[in-house]
Amino acid sequence: MTAVVGGGLVGAPVAQAAATWQAHDKVCQTVTDVNGQSLGSVCAEVQKRVTDAGSVNGYRARVTVTPTAGHWMKPTTYNWSWGNLTPVCAGGCTEQTSVWSSAWSPASTTAGTYRVLGEISGGASFYVVASWSDWARIAGKCATYTAGKFCVYRHERGYRGTMQERGKLTVTPAAGKWIEPRSVRVGNVSDGTDTHKTRDLCDPSCTRRTAYWSTTVSRTMPGIGSDYELYASAQVAFSSGEVKTIRASLFD
């Protein structure tokens, strides 16, 4: 069908495909009493909203409980990335004695961890965490030489119920020059003890980079003490024979 607009013919608008909800993450846990007997299972489920162009512009979540016979489960609150707690049910959920799923939460426009808490008959409780947040830059440092520029960054994110840390190295060689990445590391110094994870970029051999290049190393973040430093570091070599190390820390 066409329409007449200002004396000309205009075709009908092309239909746009609607965004769709797709599976993103699901974590299920079995809850037991002090004697190891199962009280039931709880699942935290997160979906992502994907546009027709393939980008993600939202997340939603829900909880499913499956009590064992003779027990009840009652979800209470949830939050995204340990933010403010929100009731799972307006006015409070009732005690569920059979398989039950909550309504989907309102959409969150940013990636994050979904944590749901609840109660179980007999005085027990539960919490289950699903999904993960985007990597957030915590620290960074760059250095520029005749051969070019290299940078190291420290990133952190929540992944389900844990925190992760990542070191990222980028190199930008100058025209006609090369930079040889040697290693990238992420770690922390906690109460005087340095723990870290290092990626050897010369295993099995070093590669000379003549254009922009980057790589990362990551790990689950260990517990930290009262006195700590969080950092990322990297080492590169230049055609001049120089070997340089750079370190980015929260305390730089």
Side-chain angles (χ1 to χ4, degrees):
M1 177 180 292
T2 59
V4 177
V5 179
L9 296 178
V10 178
V14 177
Q16 297 294 317
T20 59
W21 288 103
Q22 300 178 11
H24 178 62
D25 193 34
K26 185 175 183 179
V27 175
C28 296
Q29 292 182 1
T30 298
V31 184
T32 59
D33 61 17
V34 293
N35 299 313
Q37 299 299 308
S38 175
L39 302 176
S41 64
V42 184
C43 295
E45 182 181 4
V46 179
Q47 291 184 335
K48 57 186 176 182
R49 186 171 57 199
V50 183
T51 69
D52 56 338
S55 62
V56 177
N57 65 4
Y59 300 85
R60 67 179 184 179
R62 69 176 180 180
V63 57
T64 298
V65 295
T66 308
T68 55
H71 294 282
W72 56 259
M73 290 182 163
K74 183 174 73 171
T76 54
T77 55
Y78 74 91
N79 57 11
W80 289 99
S81 299
W82 276 260
N84 294 330
L85 289 171
T86 301
V88 173
C89 307
C93 299
T94 59
E95 297 172 357
Q96 307 296 328
T97 57
S98 59
V99 180
W100 177 86
S101 294
S102 69
W104 290 103
S105 70
S108 170
T109 56
T110 58
T113 53
Y114 166 73
R115 181 179 66 145
V116 61
L117 301 88
E119 302 170 355
I120 309 174
S121 56
S125 61
F126 67 82
Y127 82 87
V128 183
V129 187
S131 191
W132 48 88
S133 59
D134 291 330
W135 286 107
R137 182 184 296 182
I138 304 301
K141 184 177 285 187
C142 297
T144 302
Y145 298 89
T146 303
K149 177 181 177 181
F150 76 111
C151 302
V152 67
Y153 303 100
R154 177 184 172 83
H155 298 150
E156 295 177 8
R157 73 171 180 177
Y159 179 81
R160 293 179 173 172
T162 66
M163 285 296 295
Q164 293 182 328
E165 56 184 0
R166 183 177 78 175
K168 180 177 182 180
L169 164 67
T170 67
V171 297
T172 308
K177 305 289 186 178
W178 55 259
I179 298 177
E180 183 180 270
R182 293 288 183 87
S183 66
V184 59
R185 171 180 294 182
V186 67
N188 70 62
V189 180
S190 179
D191 292 335
T193 300
D194 187 339
T195 65
H196 53 262
K197 182 177 180 179
T198 303
R199 183 177 175 188
D200 183 355
L201 304 175
C202 288
D203 182 16
S205 62
C206 302
T207 301
R208 295 174 178 177
R209 305 292 174 176
T210 57
Y212 175 85
W213 181 84
S214 69
T215 193
T216 62
V217 61
S218 61
R219 69 169 184 168
T220 296
M221 191 183 301
I224 55 178
S226 57
D227 180 31
Y228 65 90
E229 177 189 11
L230 309 176
Y231 72 90
S233 62
Q235 186 179 87
V236 302
F238 302 120
S239 54
S240 62
E242 294 179 289
V243 176
K244 297 291 184 180
T245 300
I246 193 171
R247 179 184 175 104
S249 166
L250 289 176
F251 298 95
D252 288 344

